[in-house]
Amino acid sequence: MTTNLKNETIKYLLLDLDGVIRHYPIQRNLQIEQKYNLKESTLLSAAFEKQLLSKAVCGLISDEEWRAEIINSISKDYPRRAWTYLLVF
Protein backbone atom coordinates (compact mmCIF):
# COMPACT_ATOMS: atom_id res chain seq x y z
CA MET A 1 0.00 0.00 0.00
CA THR A 2 1.35 3.40 -0.93
CA THR A 3 0.21 6.77 0.33
CA ASN A 4 0.12 9.87 -1.81
CA LEU A 5 1.36 12.80 0.29
CA LYS A 6 1.42 15.42 -2.47
CA ASN A 7 -1.65 17.19 -1.16
CA GLU A 8 -1.03 16.53 2.50
CA THR A 9 0.34 19.11 4.90
CA ILE A 10 2.09 18.31 8.12
CA LYS A 11 0.27 20.26 10.79
CA TYR A 12 2.24 19.26 13.86
CA LEU A 13 5.69 17.95 14.54
CA LEU A 14 6.55 16.93 18.05
CA LEU A 15 10.20 16.37 18.92
CA ASP A 16 11.62 15.72 22.34
CA LEU A 17 15.25 16.71 22.24
CA ASP A 18 15.55 17.69 25.89
CA GLY A 19 19.04 16.66 26.82
CA VAL A 20 19.51 14.41 23.79
CA ILE A 21 21.80 16.65 21.76
CA ARG A 22 24.95 17.62 23.59
CA HIS A 23 28.13 19.14 22.33
CA TYR A 24 31.42 18.72 24.15
CA PRO A 25 34.29 20.19 22.16
CA ILE A 26 37.14 17.72 21.70
CA GLN A 27 39.68 20.41 22.59
CA ARG A 28 37.96 20.90 25.95
CA ASN A 29 38.19 17.19 26.66
CA LEU A 30 41.87 17.15 25.73
CA GLN A 31 42.57 20.08 28.05
CA ILE A 32 40.84 18.32 30.96
CA GLU A 33 42.69 15.06 30.23
CA GLN A 34 46.03 16.86 30.08
CA LYS A 35 45.34 18.88 33.22
CA TYR A 36 44.58 15.73 35.24
CA ASN A 37 47.10 13.45 33.53
CA LEU A 38 44.49 11.20 31.99
CA LYS A 39 45.12 9.20 28.83
CA GLU A 40 43.75 10.77 25.66
CA SER A 41 40.10 9.78 25.02
CA THR A 42 39.55 8.70 28.63
CA LEU A 43 36.54 11.00 28.92
CA LEU A 44 34.93 9.93 25.67
CA SER A 45 35.56 6.25 26.35
CA ALA A 46 33.87 6.49 29.73
CA ALA A 47 31.01 8.73 28.60
CA PHE A 48 30.15 6.72 25.51
CA GLU A 49 30.57 3.22 26.87
CA LYS A 50 27.81 1.27 25.12
CA GLN A 51 25.65 0.23 28.09
CA LEU A 52 26.00 3.53 29.92
CA LEU A 53 25.23 5.56 26.81
CA SER A 54 22.17 3.44 26.11
CA LYS A 55 20.80 4.16 29.58
CA ALA A 56 21.41 7.89 29.15
CA VAL A 57 19.96 8.15 25.65
CA CYS A 58 16.87 6.13 26.53
CA GLY A 59 16.20 8.26 29.61
CA LEU A 60 16.76 5.43 32.06
CA ILE A 61 19.22 7.59 34.02
CA SER A 62 19.38 11.35 34.52
CA ASP A 63 22.17 13.59 33.28
CA GLU A 64 23.50 13.77 36.83
CA GLU A 65 23.51 9.97 37.11
CA TRP A 66 25.25 9.69 33.73
CA ARG A 67 27.99 12.09 34.86
CA ALA A 68 28.37 10.23 38.17
CA GLU A 69 28.80 6.94 36.29
CA ILE A 70 31.47 8.55 34.10
CA ILE A 71 33.33 9.57 37.26
CA ASN A 72 32.95 6.06 38.70
CA SER A 73 34.35 4.57 35.51
CA ILE A 74 37.33 6.91 35.41
CA SER A 75 38.04 6.43 39.11
CA LYS A 76 38.68 2.71 38.52
CA ASP A 77 41.79 3.59 36.49
CA TYR A 78 42.60 6.90 38.19
CA PRO A 79 41.38 6.59 41.79
CA ARG A 80 43.18 9.65 43.16
CA ARG A 81 42.28 12.02 40.33
CA ALA A 82 38.74 11.16 39.35
CA TRP A 83 37.01 13.25 41.99
CA THR A 84 38.60 16.39 40.52
CA TYR A 85 36.85 15.63 37.24
CA LEU A 86 33.54 16.19 39.00
CA LEU A 87 34.52 19.80 39.57
CA VAL A 88 35.24 20.55 35.93
CA PHE A 89 32.81 18.39 33.93
Side-chain angles (χ1 to χ4, degrees):
M1 177 178 176
T2 60
T3 304
N4 185 351
L5 297 178
K6 289 181 183 178
N7 296 324
E8 297 293 321
T9 302
I10 297 173
K11 293 181 181 180
Y12 304 100
L13 179 62
L14 176 63
L15 301 172
D16 180 6
L17 298 177
D18 182 36
V20 174
I21 298 176
R22 301 189 193 288
H23 177 70
Y24 299 106
I26 297 297
Q27 189 59 36
R28 178 179 167 260
N29 293 346
L30 291 172
Q31 290 171 343
I32 293 169
E33 290 165 344
Q34 289 171 355
K35 182 176 181 177
Y36 296 102
N37 296 316
L38 303 174
K39 291 179 186 174
E40 189 174 318
S41 298
T42 295
L43 301 180
L44 289 177
S45 294
F48 295 104
E49 185 276 323
K50 190 174 181 176
Q51 290 181 339
L52 178 59
L53 183 62
S54 178
K55 290 178 187 178
V57 171
C58 292
L60 300 175
I61 58 175
S62 68
D63 183 65
E64 293 79 16
E65 291 169 319
W66 177 64
R67 291 170 188 257
E69 288 299 322
I70 293 168
I71 294 166
N72 288 337
S73 176
I74 294 171
S75 69
K76 292 175 186 174
D77 293 327
Y78 303 95
R80 294 178 184 226
R81 291 173 268 177
W83 67 272
T84 57
Y85 179 67
L86 176 63
L87 302 175
V88 297
F89 187 62

